[in-house]
């Protein structure tokens, strides 16, 4: 479904939907672009859509920053820094305060002002160490799990934290050395203040927001903790585990079909991919269930829909790529196939199958096709095909024993196998 969604909805630019809102939205681009990377090595359309969104922003404040995120992903997948170099200043501006009278916020098709976002100053409040303003969080509004907005909002600050980190990397690649430490330090301050002011260590959850007087809005929506988990706002493994337990919600999705991107990515990146697997393969196909089983069996969907069903959004469209998250979660999350060096010169394979016993995937990259076959019978057998002129880092589970790579017994302490091009067979017990 995810792969066909990308095939059927890509036009001369990524669009929000075939039925309405026929233009790119930066938030949708996260799912559309990353799933495109999972199923195709043709990167020009993704780059064009990123470039288009830089000049044609949409109204949600957090969406502007997703432009920064996807520009960085373009570099990782293509190995080409052209976009980052050409648009550096415009990406930097995405961190500035928006919704001024003189700035375009995506609400008008005939606006002829500036793209420099209102006051043209940073959104960061250095008295507090957090950013002001808010973002989309989720849509429709009823899907936000009762989220309480304030002056300083947890989801919005989490997105800023993650993208300040990314902008620091972009600055390094493009030679803006003075900006590297600025963005890195800004990210560190936001993380520190989020944990200090918004994290509840007793419950293991993040509060939604701070009021203007810096008192806490005590409500703890899943969205606040999920965004924090997704962008790595935690200090140690136990904290990440407690956040993951809450975000995973006993194997049931919270929020919209779009929001599951942030849920799933946070669970995978924090080391809890098994919980993301449980969410994806939930077999409940009852009417209006928030599962992909229900989407496939009740909506009979071959393309990702805008919402779980008409119950959650009566005017839903049946052509919304922002629901194609399973594609990227399977390839980049469960199989863990991601570039370690730009352009896939070095890449990682880290299989985290949860309760799934067999996996097969064919993944196109800038360097060629990666093939992976995984079978967990009495022993685990993984066969990988590695493209020419690349190096693969196979990350094995910490509990793996009796490891063999191409018939050669490995030391028990070895949990990362580095292999070159060709076919390799890895066998181990767990």
């Amino acid at each position: 479904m995810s792969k066909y969604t990308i095939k059927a909805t890509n036009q001369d630019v990524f669009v929000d939907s075939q039925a309405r809102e026929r233009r790119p939205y930066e938030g949708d681009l996260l799912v559309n672009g990353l799933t495109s990377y999972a199923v195709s090595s043709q990167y020009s359309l993704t780059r064009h859509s990123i470039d288009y969104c830089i000049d044609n922003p949409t109204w949600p404040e957090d969406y502007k920053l997703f432009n920064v995120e996807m520009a960085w992903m373009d570099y990782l997948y293509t190995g080409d820094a052209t976009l980052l170099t050409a648009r550096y200043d415009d990406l930097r501006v995405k961190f500035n305060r928006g919704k001024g009278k003189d700035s375009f916020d995506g609400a008008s098709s005939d606006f002829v002002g500036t793209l420099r976002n209102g006051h043209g100053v940073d959104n960061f409040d250095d008295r507090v160490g957090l950013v002001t303003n808010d973002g989309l969080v989720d849509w429709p509004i009823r899907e936000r799990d009762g989220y309480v907005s304030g002056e300083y909002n947890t989801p919005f600050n989490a997105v800023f934290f993650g993208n300040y980190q990314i902008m620091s990397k972009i600055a390094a690649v493009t030679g803006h050395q003075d900006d590297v430490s600025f963005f890195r330090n800004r990210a560190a301050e936001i993380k520190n203040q989020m944990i200090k002011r918004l994290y509840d260590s007793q419950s293991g959850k993040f509060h939604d927001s701070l009021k203007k007087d810096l008192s806490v809005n005590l409500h703890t929506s899943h969205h606040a903790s999920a965004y924090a988990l997704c962008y790595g706002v935690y200090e140690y493994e136990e904290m990440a585990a407690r956040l993951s337990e809450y975000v995973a919600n006993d194997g049931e999705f919270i929020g919209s079909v779009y929001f599951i991107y942030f849920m799933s990515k946070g669970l995978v990146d924090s080391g809890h991919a098994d919980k993301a697997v449980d969410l994806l393969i939930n077999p409940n196909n009852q009417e209006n269930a928030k599962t992909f089983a229900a989407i496939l069996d009740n909506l009979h969907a071959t393309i990702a829909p805008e919402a779980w069903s008409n119950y959650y959004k009566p005017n839903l469209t049946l052509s919304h790529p922002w629901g194609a998250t399973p594609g990227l979660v399977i390839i980049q999350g469960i199989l863990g196939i991601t570039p370690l060096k730009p352009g896939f010169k070095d890449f990682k394979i880290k299989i985290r199958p949860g309760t799934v016993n067999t996996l097969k995937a064919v993944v196109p990259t800038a360097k060629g096709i990666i093939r992976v076959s995984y079978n967990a019978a009495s022993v685990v057998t993984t066969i990988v095909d590695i493209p020419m002129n690349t190096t693969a880092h196979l990350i094995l589970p910490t509990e793996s024993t009796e490891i063999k790579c191409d018939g050669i017994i490995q030391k028990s302490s070895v949990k990362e196998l580095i292999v070159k091009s060709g076919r390799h067979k890895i066998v181990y017990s767990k």
Side-chain angles (χ1 to χ4, degrees):
M1 183 197 72
S2 295
K3 183 175 182 178
Y4 185 66
T5 295
I6 301 304
K7 180 178 181 180
T9 61
N10 284 358
Q11 297 179 171
D12 58 337
V13 70
F14 288 164
V15 293
D16 183 75
S17 173
Q18 307 295 304
R20 64 169 185 271
E21 301 170 305
R22 300 187 185 106
R23 56 156 297 173
Y25 280 65
E26 302 96 325
D28 303 49
L29 187 59
L30 282 175
V31 178
N32 205 332
L34 289 170
T35 305
S36 291
Y37 292 149
V39 300
S40 172
S41 59
Q42 299 298 320
Y43 303 134
S44 58
L45 183 59
T46 309
R47 173 174 290 190
H48 173 61
S49 299
I50 295 166
D51 199 46
Y52 176 90
C53 284
I54 292 173
D55 292 327
N56 299 274
T58 56
W59 58 269
E61 285 294 284
D62 48 354
Y63 273 33
K64 293 183 302 182
L65 298 186
F66 297 149
N67 229 166
V68 175
E69 202 166 330
M70 284 307 299
W72 176 247
M73 296 307 297
D74 172 79
Y75 172 61
L76 288 184
Y77 273 81
T78 67
D80 181 358
T82 300
L83 179 67
L84 298 183
T85 302
R87 305 309 301 267
Y88 180 81
D89 184 56
D90 298 308
L91 291 172
R92 202 182 194 284
V93 165
K94 296 294 179 180
F95 293 86
N96 292 354
R97 185 171 287 118
K99 296 186 178 180
K101 292 181 179 178
D102 62 339
S103 65
F104 175 64
D105 65 3
S108 171
S109 60
D110 58 358
F111 184 84
V112 289
T114 176
L115 293 175
R116 306 203 64 89
N117 299 311
H119 302 293
V121 296
D122 197 285
N123 226 57
F124 184 75
D125 184 344
D126 54 14
R127 299 168 305 159
V128 182
L130 296 170
V131 295
T132 59
N133 221 325
D134 204 351
L136 181 79
V137 181
D138 203 355
W139 195 264
I141 292 173
R142 62 179 290 191
E143 293 280 37
R144 293 178 185 169
D145 192 33
Y147 170 77
V148 178
S149 181
E151 183 76 5
Y152 307 92
N153 293 280
T154 296
F156 197 51
N157 273 273
V159 174
F160 260 86
F161 162 69
N163 279 276
Y164 273 129
Q165 286 189 310
I166 290 170
M167 199 66 195
S168 176
K169 297 176 185 178
I170 293 174
V173 169
T174 57
H176 294 82
Q177 294 304 318
D178 291 344
D179 284 350
V180 173
S181 58
F182 169 79
F183 285 119
R184 185 184 297 137
N185 292 340
R186 182 59 56 81
E189 178 64 8
I190 289 176
K191 179 179 179 179
N192 178 55
Q193 293 300 324
M194 284 186 69
I195 294 172
K196 177 182 177 181
R197 298 175 183 271
L198 289 159
Y199 180 66
D200 182 354
S201 59
Q202 287 190 321
S203 67
K205 306 171 187 176
F206 273 90
H207 296 296
D208 289 354
S209 58
L210 292 178
K211 301 174 186 176
K212 199 165 187 175
D213 64 4
L214 302 185
S215 62
V216 179
N217 282 316
L218 293 176
H219 187 260
T220 54
S221 66
H222 277 81
H223 290 63
S225 290
Y227 274 94
L229 186 68
C230 178
Y231 287 97
V233 188
Y234 47 83
E235 293 182 309
Y236 43 84
E237 189 173 325
E238 183 187 353
M239 183 177 175
R242 296 182 73 191
L243 285 169
S244 296
E245 191 69 28
Y246 180 54
V247 169
N249 195 44
D250 294 325
E252 295 187 6
F253 283 120
I254 288 285
S256 74
V257 75
Y258 157 70
F259 176 67
I260 68 167
Y261 165 80
F262 302 96
M263 289 182 67
S264 302
K265 188 175 187 301
L267 291 170
V268 168
D269 290 352
S270 66
H272 299 88
D274 56 325
K275 297 183 184 300
V277 173
D278 289 343
L279 286 163
L280 286 185
I281 65 174
N282 185 335
N284 180 6
N285 64 353
Q286 294 181 343
E287 186 177 7
N288 300 323
K290 289 189 174 184
T291 66
F292 283 96
I295 284 178
L296 293 169
D297 294 346
N298 291 329
L299 294 182
H300 305 290
T302 56
I303 298 175
E306 184 181 11
W308 294 107
S309 70
N310 291 92
Y311 172 78
Y312 299 101
K313 197 170 192 296
N315 66 336
L316 72 83
T317 73
L318 297 173
S319 56
H320 245 81
W322 79 349
T325 290
L328 69 93
V329 174
I330 291 167
I331 301 302
Q332 295 147 359
I334 297 169
L335 290 170
I337 301 175
T338 54
L340 292 173
K341 291 185 179 179
F344 267 87
K345 184 177 180 180
D346 282 28
F347 62 91
K348 178 180 70 176
I349 301 176
K350 185 177 182 180
I351 302 174
R352 294 159 286 189
T355 56
V356 176
N357 290 321
T358 58
L359 289 163
K360 291 183 72 174
V362 178
V363 184
T365 75
K367 292 290 188 181
I369 298 292
I370 299 169
R371 289 182 172 85
V372 178
S373 174
Y374 171 92
N375 187 286
S378 56
V379 295
V380 176
T381 301
T382 303
I383 298 173
V384 296
D385 288 341
I386 308 304
M388 189 176 293
N389 298 320
T390 66
T391 300
H393 297 245
L394 278 64
I395 314 298
L396 305 182
T398 55
E399 65 271 18
S400 57
T401 60
E402 303 178 66
I403 303 164
K404 292 182 181 180
C405 180
D406 299 328
I408 300 173
I409 298 173
Q410 307 294 308
K411 293 181 179 179
S412 59
S413 59
V414 172
K415 303 302 178 185
E416 178 178 339
L417 303 174
I418 300 176
V419 297
K420 298 290 187 179
S421 58
R423 173 164 291 187
H424 303 276
K425 182 178 181 180
I426 298 92
V427 179
Y428 61 86
S429 300
K430 64 174 184 176

